[in-house]
Amino acid sequence: MTMIEPIPAAADPAGAANSDIRHDWSEEEAAALLAAPLADLVFRAQDLHRRYQQSNEVEMATLVNIKDGGCPEDCHYCSQSLSWEGGVKAEALMPLGEVVEAARRAKAAGAHRLCMGAAWRSPNERDLGKVCDMVRAVRAEGLETCVTLGMLKEGQAEKLREAGLDYYNHNLDTSEAFYGQVVTTRTYQDRLETLGRVRKAGIKMCCGGVLGLGESEKDRAAMLCVLARFDPHPESVPVNSLVAIEGTPMSGNEPVDEIAIVRMIAAARIMMPKSTVRLAAGRMAMSEAGQALAFIAGANSIFLGEKLLTTPNPAESEDANLMSRLGLSRM
Ligand code: SAM
Ligand code: DTB
Ligand code: SF4
């Protein structure tokens, strides 16, 4: 086991020169966090969680797939890629009325953000205009908005911002070194460029990754460092675990160890104390005790609703029951 530094003296969370908020984490430091004795790691993460977040509060976001399947990218984990046989059938963009209905259902269930996903490499101008209409309509229902549409070209992020978009999700997925084993149709640099455009337009950044792609501990540490290098840190950091989908090249991957998920969440909380850290895809395979540990380690967001984009997620009633037993309330 690797020893980690003791908890630093209490810092002033409002202070400008705050040693808790760093953008210079080394891969060695991140790897040491991931490999530390679990109690030391979780204790340090929980301490920061209490100082920088509303402890015992969890953000709820609901996903809706506004454009299913037919994606030209070859992400090896994804059921929506055209590259794998038997994938999700390509559908047209969801009509505005259905998106509004999804927003009303999500709000009634207790979500305060609707995350709209589209299986595109990047949106064309006509579709982008329709997504802008969706953003306006969802905001008019009193929900925050997030979209994930693939790569953005110059000027597209500004249009989304003008429509009132709150968050753009664009995950790094893994380290730069391992990226070529996961996706071959775009580069890590492409990802970073879109993220730069999102930030430049003043949209909040939702950016994280996926465990269980076949990556090493070193890759996990490296990805955390890329995330922590953003200044400011991404406002939202989703930690997904692979949902192994039949027909994709990753269908036979080893399931992710729950303790490894907890470690990743704790390391993200320590490295990015002010960010919302989401226990994202993969909760169907986790025990309730594993999820509880993830909240103690600093997770403070989940996807609410029984479907993610194409795969199942715990029922709302199950989540409500778990939250109540853990004394967690909706943010
Ligand atoms: N097409 C857009 C893109 O790739 O940016 C948006 C949708 S994509 C489904 C959003 C993210 O969900 C991916 O970047 C990946 O991190 C995560 N994801 C997709 N399929 C997954 C799976 N089977 N298991 C876990 N996470 C997954
Ligand atoms: C994120 O980090 N995870 C979400 C959302 N952002 C878009 C997607 C998870 C997808 C899980 C597999 C599926 O349902 O197809
Ligand atoms: Fe397309 Fe996104 Fe799936 Fe990749 S993750 S294949 S870009 S929908």
Side-chain angles (χ1 to χ4, degrees):
M1 283 285 167
T2 326
M3 299 308 288
I4 56 175
E5 286 295 307
I7 297 166
D12 169 13
N18 188 332
S19 62
D20 292 334
I21 310 297
R22 291 176 45 198
H23 302 279
D24 61 350
W25 287 89
S26 70
E27 289 185 21
E28 291 71 26
E29 284 176 295
L33 288 177
L34 290 172
L38 189 68
D40 293 357
L41 176 66
V42 172
F43 184 72
R44 183 161 164 192
Q46 174 65 202
D47 171 67
L48 286 157
H49 191 68
R50 284 174 177 272
R51 287 196 276 126
Y52 288 92
Q53 303 289 329
Q54 293 296 327
S55 49
N56 305 317
E57 288 191 3
V58 178
E59 170 193 83
M60 311 276 178
T62 292
L63 279 166
V64 56
N65 207 2
I66 58 169
K67 160 68 183 80
D68 278 303
C71 185
E73 302 276 19
D74 73 349
C75 309
H76 288 34
Y77 47 72
C78 187
S79 56
Q80 305 203 79
S81 168
L82 275 175
S83 308
W84 330 125
E85 279 190 24
V88 172
K89 206 168 117 264
E91 300 279 354
L93 186 60
M94 187 179 271
L96 183 61
E98 283 182 36
V99 177
V100 172
E101 275 170 36
R104 289 184 183 155
R105 276 196 305 275
K107 194 174 179 203
H112 64 249
R113 186 179 311 150
L114 194 72
C115 303
M116 296 168 269
W120 289 324
R121 174 173 166 79
S122 71
N124 64 36
E125 285 303 306
R126 194 164 151 262
D127 287 335
L128 190 78
K130 291 184 182 174
V131 174
C132 287
D133 291 342
M134 292 174 188
V135 168
R136 287 187 202 96
V138 172
R139 279 178 65 93
E141 295 297 323
L143 283 171
E144 285 185 342
T145 51
C146 175
V147 298
T148 178
L149 315 171
M151 291 186 268
L152 295 179
K153 297 182 203 78
E154 211 47 56
Q156 290 189 317
E158 281 72 13
K159 288 186 183 157
L160 289 164
R161 182 66 204 128
E162 278 158 28
L165 182 69
D166 299 289
Y167 290 81
Y168 196 88
N169 165 252
H170 204 62
N171 289 341
L172 292 175
D173 286 351
T174 190
S175 69
E176 183 163 17
F178 191 63
Y179 199 67
Q181 309 288 310
V182 178
V183 188
T184 69
T185 47
R186 57 171 187 250
T187 64
Y188 215 66
Q189 193 52 40
D190 290 332
R191 265 346 233 183
L192 295 173
E193 276 171 23
T194 290
L195 289 164
R197 289 178 180 145
V198 166
R199 266 277 154 86
K200 188 160 74 74
I203 299 169
K204 290 183 197 141
M205 187 194 284
C206 174
C207 183
V210 190
L211 302 179
L213 304 176
E215 75 285 352
S216 64
E217 287 288 301
K218 198 167 180 290
D219 293 313
R220 291 177 184 175
M223 184 185 79
L224 283 167
C225 288
V226 179
L227 291 172
R229 218 169 287 146
F230 286 109
D231 188 3
H233 292 148
E235 285 77 9
S236 168
V237 178
V239 176
N240 296 276
S241 302
L242 177 71
V243 181
I245 301 172
E246 204 60 44
T248 64
M250 294 191 172
S251 63
N253 280 25
E254 281 286 305
V256 185
D257 170 20
E258 290 191 1
I259 304 295
I261 301 172
V262 172
R263 287 184 176 283
M264 193 69 180
I265 283 181
R269 168 57 61 229
I270 292 167
M271 292 171 69
M272 294 168 280
K274 291 184 179 173
S275 305
T276 301
V277 177
R278 183 176 303 130
L279 177 60
R283 287 197 299 122
M284 288 299 278
M286 289 182 82
S287 66
E288 290 192 327
Q291 293 183 60
L293 202 46
F295 294 123
I296 295 168
N300 58 349
S301 175
I302 55 169
F303 286 124
L304 181 72
E306 57 193 34
K307 198 172 165 211
L308 294 170
L309 289 174
T310 68
T311 64
N313 194 46
E316 284 147 14
S317 55
E318 270 175 52
D319 279 338
N321 179 289
L322 179 63
M323 296 296 131
S324 141
R325 280 154 57 222
L326 300 180
L328 295 172
S329 57
R330 185 178 161 269
M331 199 177 270

